Short mmCIF file of all heavy atoms in Angstrom, two decimals:
data_model
loop_
_atom_site.label_atom_id
_atom_site.label_comp_id
_atom_site.label_asym_id
_atom_site.label_seq_id
_atom_site.Cartn_x
_atom_site.Cartn_y
_atom_site.Cartn_z
N ASP A 1452 -9.79 -57.99 -62.13
CA ASP A 1452 -10.41 -56.79 -61.64
C ASP A 1452 -10.30 -56.64 -60.11
O ASP A 1452 -10.80 -55.74 -59.52
CB ASP A 1452 -11.90 -56.77 -61.97
CG ASP A 1452 -12.11 -56.60 -63.44
OD1 ASP A 1452 -11.27 -55.98 -64.07
OD2 ASP A 1452 -13.12 -57.14 -63.92
N ARG A 1453 -9.54 -57.52 -59.47
CA ARG A 1453 -9.36 -57.45 -58.00
C ARG A 1453 -8.32 -56.36 -57.69
O ARG A 1453 -7.43 -56.08 -58.50
CB ARG A 1453 -8.88 -58.77 -57.43
CG ARG A 1453 -9.94 -59.86 -57.42
CD ARG A 1453 -9.47 -60.99 -56.66
NE ARG A 1453 -10.56 -61.94 -56.52
CZ ARG A 1453 -10.49 -62.97 -55.76
NH1 ARG A 1453 -9.45 -63.25 -55.07
NH2 ARG A 1453 -11.51 -63.82 -55.70
N LEU A 1454 -8.43 -55.82 -56.50
CA LEU A 1454 -7.48 -54.82 -56.04
C LEU A 1454 -6.18 -55.51 -55.63
O LEU A 1454 -6.20 -56.54 -54.92
CB LEU A 1454 -8.03 -54.00 -54.81
CG LEU A 1454 -9.20 -53.15 -55.10
CD1 LEU A 1454 -9.69 -52.59 -53.80
CD2 LEU A 1454 -8.84 -52.04 -56.04
N PRO A 1455 -5.03 -54.98 -56.03
CA PRO A 1455 -3.77 -55.64 -55.65
C PRO A 1455 -3.42 -55.36 -54.15
O PRO A 1455 -3.88 -54.38 -53.58
CB PRO A 1455 -2.73 -54.99 -56.57
CG PRO A 1455 -3.36 -53.71 -56.97
CD PRO A 1455 -4.85 -53.87 -56.96
N PHE A 1456 -2.66 -56.28 -53.59
CA PHE A 1456 -2.28 -56.16 -52.19
C PHE A 1456 -1.41 -54.94 -52.00
O PHE A 1456 -1.59 -54.19 -51.03
CB PHE A 1456 -1.54 -57.46 -51.78
CG PHE A 1456 -1.16 -57.41 -50.31
CD1 PHE A 1456 -2.10 -57.71 -49.33
CD2 PHE A 1456 0.13 -57.16 -49.93
CE1 PHE A 1456 -1.76 -57.72 -47.99
CE2 PHE A 1456 0.50 -57.16 -48.59
CZ PHE A 1456 -0.45 -57.45 -47.64
N HIS A 1457 -0.43 -54.77 -52.86
CA HIS A 1457 0.42 -53.61 -52.79
C HIS A 1457 0.10 -52.66 -53.89
O HIS A 1457 0.00 -53.08 -55.02
CB HIS A 1457 1.88 -54.08 -52.87
CG HIS A 1457 2.90 -52.94 -52.74
ND1 HIS A 1457 3.16 -52.36 -51.55
CD2 HIS A 1457 3.66 -52.30 -53.66
CE1 HIS A 1457 4.06 -51.40 -51.75
NE2 HIS A 1457 4.37 -51.35 -52.98
N PRO A 1458 -0.12 -51.43 -53.70
CA PRO A 1458 0.12 -50.60 -52.48
C PRO A 1458 -1.13 -50.34 -51.67
O PRO A 1458 -0.98 -49.77 -50.57
CB PRO A 1458 0.54 -49.25 -53.14
CG PRO A 1458 -0.26 -49.20 -54.38
CD PRO A 1458 -0.35 -50.60 -54.85
N TYR A 1459 -2.30 -50.83 -52.05
CA TYR A 1459 -3.53 -50.42 -51.42
C TYR A 1459 -3.64 -50.96 -49.97
O TYR A 1459 -3.81 -50.18 -49.03
CB TYR A 1459 -4.77 -50.85 -52.18
CG TYR A 1459 -4.79 -50.26 -53.60
CD1 TYR A 1459 -4.59 -51.04 -54.73
CD2 TYR A 1459 -5.03 -48.90 -53.72
CE1 TYR A 1459 -4.63 -50.48 -55.97
CE2 TYR A 1459 -5.06 -48.37 -54.98
CZ TYR A 1459 -4.84 -49.14 -56.10
OH TYR A 1459 -4.85 -48.57 -57.35
N PHE A 1460 -3.58 -52.27 -49.78
CA PHE A 1460 -3.69 -52.81 -48.47
C PHE A 1460 -2.45 -52.55 -47.61
O PHE A 1460 -2.59 -52.42 -46.40
CB PHE A 1460 -3.99 -54.35 -48.57
CG PHE A 1460 -5.32 -54.63 -49.16
CD1 PHE A 1460 -5.48 -55.05 -50.45
CD2 PHE A 1460 -6.46 -54.45 -48.36
CE1 PHE A 1460 -6.68 -55.28 -51.01
CE2 PHE A 1460 -7.73 -54.69 -48.94
CZ PHE A 1460 -7.85 -55.12 -50.25
N VAL A 1461 -1.31 -52.52 -48.19
CA VAL A 1461 -0.05 -52.21 -47.43
C VAL A 1461 -0.18 -50.79 -46.88
O VAL A 1461 0.14 -50.53 -45.73
CB VAL A 1461 1.18 -52.32 -48.33
CG1 VAL A 1461 2.39 -51.81 -47.63
CG2 VAL A 1461 1.36 -53.82 -48.72
N PHE A 1462 -0.61 -49.84 -47.69
CA PHE A 1462 -0.72 -48.46 -47.21
C PHE A 1462 -1.80 -48.35 -46.10
O PHE A 1462 -1.58 -47.70 -45.10
CB PHE A 1462 -1.08 -47.54 -48.38
CG PHE A 1462 -1.21 -46.09 -47.95
CD1 PHE A 1462 -0.11 -45.35 -47.61
CD2 PHE A 1462 -2.46 -45.52 -47.87
CE1 PHE A 1462 -0.23 -44.01 -47.23
CE2 PHE A 1462 -2.59 -44.20 -47.43
CZ PHE A 1462 -1.46 -43.42 -47.13
N LYS A 1463 -2.92 -49.04 -46.27
CA LYS A 1463 -3.97 -49.01 -45.28
C LYS A 1463 -3.46 -49.53 -43.95
O LYS A 1463 -3.70 -48.94 -42.86
CB LYS A 1463 -5.18 -49.82 -45.76
CG LYS A 1463 -6.29 -49.91 -44.72
CD LYS A 1463 -7.41 -50.80 -45.23
CE LYS A 1463 -7.05 -52.21 -45.21
NZ LYS A 1463 -7.06 -52.86 -43.89
N ASP A 1464 -2.72 -50.64 -43.98
CA ASP A 1464 -2.14 -51.23 -42.74
C ASP A 1464 -1.06 -50.36 -42.15
O ASP A 1464 -0.98 -50.24 -40.92
CB ASP A 1464 -1.62 -52.59 -43.06
CG ASP A 1464 -2.73 -53.59 -43.37
OD1 ASP A 1464 -3.91 -53.30 -43.04
OD2 ASP A 1464 -2.49 -54.64 -43.94
N LEU A 1465 -0.23 -49.75 -42.97
CA LEU A 1465 0.80 -48.90 -42.45
C LEU A 1465 0.23 -47.65 -41.76
O LEU A 1465 0.80 -47.16 -40.77
CB LEU A 1465 1.80 -48.47 -43.58
CG LEU A 1465 2.76 -49.55 -43.99
CD1 LEU A 1465 3.65 -49.03 -45.14
CD2 LEU A 1465 3.63 -50.03 -42.79
N VAL A 1466 -0.82 -47.11 -42.26
CA VAL A 1466 -1.47 -45.96 -41.60
C VAL A 1466 -1.93 -46.36 -40.21
O VAL A 1466 -1.70 -45.62 -39.21
CB VAL A 1466 -2.66 -45.46 -42.46
CG1 VAL A 1466 -3.53 -44.48 -41.64
CG2 VAL A 1466 -2.17 -44.77 -43.69
N THR A 1467 -2.50 -47.54 -40.06
CA THR A 1467 -2.93 -47.99 -38.76
C THR A 1467 -1.73 -48.22 -37.82
O THR A 1467 -1.76 -47.85 -36.65
CB THR A 1467 -3.73 -49.30 -38.92
OG1 THR A 1467 -4.79 -49.09 -39.84
CG2 THR A 1467 -4.25 -49.77 -37.57
N VAL A 1468 -0.65 -48.84 -38.35
CA VAL A 1468 0.53 -49.11 -37.53
C VAL A 1468 1.14 -47.78 -37.07
O VAL A 1468 1.50 -47.62 -35.87
CB VAL A 1468 1.50 -49.96 -38.32
CG1 VAL A 1468 2.90 -49.99 -37.63
CG2 VAL A 1468 1.00 -51.35 -38.47
N PHE A 1469 1.28 -46.81 -37.99
CA PHE A 1469 1.88 -45.52 -37.58
C PHE A 1469 1.02 -44.73 -36.62
O PHE A 1469 1.52 -44.10 -35.72
CB PHE A 1469 2.22 -44.70 -38.84
CG PHE A 1469 3.38 -45.20 -39.59
CD1 PHE A 1469 3.41 -45.29 -40.97
CD2 PHE A 1469 4.56 -45.61 -38.94
CE1 PHE A 1469 4.48 -45.74 -41.67
CE2 PHE A 1469 5.67 -46.05 -39.63
CZ PHE A 1469 5.62 -46.16 -41.01
N LEU A 1470 -0.32 -44.85 -36.80
CA LEU A 1470 -1.20 -44.16 -35.85
C LEU A 1470 -1.05 -44.82 -34.43
O LEU A 1470 -0.98 -44.09 -33.41
CB LEU A 1470 -2.65 -44.29 -36.29
CG LEU A 1470 -3.70 -43.55 -35.45
CD1 LEU A 1470 -3.40 -42.07 -35.45
CD2 LEU A 1470 -5.03 -43.87 -35.95
N PHE A 1471 -0.99 -46.14 -34.38
CA PHE A 1471 -0.75 -46.84 -33.10
C PHE A 1471 0.58 -46.43 -32.47
O PHE A 1471 0.66 -46.15 -31.27
CB PHE A 1471 -0.82 -48.32 -33.30
CG PHE A 1471 -0.36 -49.07 -32.10
CD1 PHE A 1471 -1.19 -49.18 -30.97
CD2 PHE A 1471 0.92 -49.68 -32.04
CE1 PHE A 1471 -0.76 -49.88 -29.83
CE2 PHE A 1471 1.33 -50.38 -30.91
CZ PHE A 1471 0.51 -50.41 -29.79
N LEU A 1472 1.64 -46.37 -33.31
CA LEU A 1472 2.96 -45.98 -32.76
C LEU A 1472 2.98 -44.56 -32.31
O LEU A 1472 3.67 -44.22 -31.33
CB LEU A 1472 4.05 -46.24 -33.86
CG LEU A 1472 4.36 -47.71 -34.12
CD1 LEU A 1472 5.35 -47.80 -35.28
CD2 LEU A 1472 4.82 -48.40 -32.90
N LEU A 1473 2.24 -43.70 -32.97
CA LEU A 1473 2.17 -42.28 -32.51
C LEU A 1473 1.49 -42.18 -31.16
O LEU A 1473 1.97 -41.45 -30.26
CB LEU A 1473 1.43 -41.44 -33.59
CG LEU A 1473 1.24 -39.95 -33.28
CD1 LEU A 1473 2.60 -39.31 -33.36
CD2 LEU A 1473 0.28 -39.36 -34.22
N VAL A 1474 0.35 -42.90 -30.97
CA VAL A 1474 -0.32 -42.89 -29.70
C VAL A 1474 0.56 -43.51 -28.62
O VAL A 1474 0.63 -42.97 -27.47
CB VAL A 1474 -1.72 -43.59 -29.79
CG1 VAL A 1474 -2.32 -43.80 -28.44
CG2 VAL A 1474 -2.64 -42.79 -30.69
N LEU A 1475 1.23 -44.62 -28.93
CA LEU A 1475 2.13 -45.24 -27.98
C LEU A 1475 3.26 -44.33 -27.55
O LEU A 1475 3.56 -44.23 -26.37
CB LEU A 1475 2.67 -46.57 -28.57
CG LEU A 1475 3.62 -47.30 -27.70
CD1 LEU A 1475 2.94 -47.87 -26.47
CD2 LEU A 1475 4.28 -48.43 -28.47
N ALA A 1476 3.87 -43.68 -28.53
CA ALA A 1476 4.99 -42.73 -28.26
C ALA A 1476 4.51 -41.57 -27.40
O ALA A 1476 5.20 -41.16 -26.48
CB ALA A 1476 5.64 -42.24 -29.52
N ALA A 1477 3.36 -41.04 -27.77
CA ALA A 1477 2.81 -39.93 -26.91
C ALA A 1477 2.56 -40.36 -25.50
O ALA A 1477 2.85 -39.64 -24.52
CB ALA A 1477 1.55 -39.41 -27.57
N THR A 1478 2.05 -41.55 -25.33
CA THR A 1478 1.77 -42.06 -23.97
C THR A 1478 3.10 -42.30 -23.21
O THR A 1478 3.24 -41.93 -22.04
CB THR A 1478 0.98 -43.35 -24.02
OG1 THR A 1478 -0.22 -43.11 -24.74
CG2 THR A 1478 0.65 -43.85 -22.62
N VAL A 1479 4.06 -42.89 -23.87
CA VAL A 1479 5.31 -43.22 -23.22
C VAL A 1479 6.11 -41.99 -22.84
O VAL A 1479 6.64 -41.90 -21.74
CB VAL A 1479 6.20 -44.14 -24.13
CG1 VAL A 1479 7.59 -44.27 -23.64
CG2 VAL A 1479 5.56 -45.52 -24.18
N PHE A 1480 6.19 -40.99 -23.72
CA PHE A 1480 7.02 -39.84 -23.50
C PHE A 1480 6.33 -38.71 -22.73
O PHE A 1480 7.00 -37.95 -22.01
CB PHE A 1480 7.54 -39.32 -24.84
CG PHE A 1480 8.50 -40.26 -25.50
CD1 PHE A 1480 8.20 -40.74 -26.80
CD2 PHE A 1480 9.62 -40.72 -24.87
CE1 PHE A 1480 9.12 -41.62 -27.40
CE2 PHE A 1480 10.47 -41.61 -25.46
CZ PHE A 1480 10.22 -42.05 -26.78
N TYR A 1481 5.01 -38.56 -22.86
CA TYR A 1481 4.34 -37.43 -22.23
C TYR A 1481 3.51 -37.82 -21.01
O TYR A 1481 3.23 -36.97 -20.18
CB TYR A 1481 3.48 -36.68 -23.22
CG TYR A 1481 4.31 -36.01 -24.31
CD1 TYR A 1481 4.24 -36.46 -25.61
CD2 TYR A 1481 5.17 -34.96 -24.01
CE1 TYR A 1481 4.98 -35.86 -26.61
CE2 TYR A 1481 5.93 -34.36 -24.97
CZ TYR A 1481 5.86 -34.80 -26.31
OH TYR A 1481 6.60 -34.22 -27.29
#
């Protein structure tokens, strides 16, 4: 009954990584 690592935790971590990269890119370019 445990939640599997993929796709739940992978997706949660990827959202955080992409949000960080978006803020980083906005800071670097603008």
Side-chain angles (χ1 to χ4, degrees):
D1452 293 330
R1453 288 189 175 189
L1454 293 175
F1456 182 78
H1457 181 75
Y1459 300 111
F1460 292 102
V1461 172
F1462 180 74
K1463 177 183 73 76
D1464 291 342
L1465 283 178
V1466 167
T1467 306
V1468 167
F1469 286 136
L1470 184 64
F1471 169 76
L1472 289 176
L1473 181 68
V1474 170
L1475 178 67
T1478 304
V1479 167
F1480 293 122
Y1481 294 113

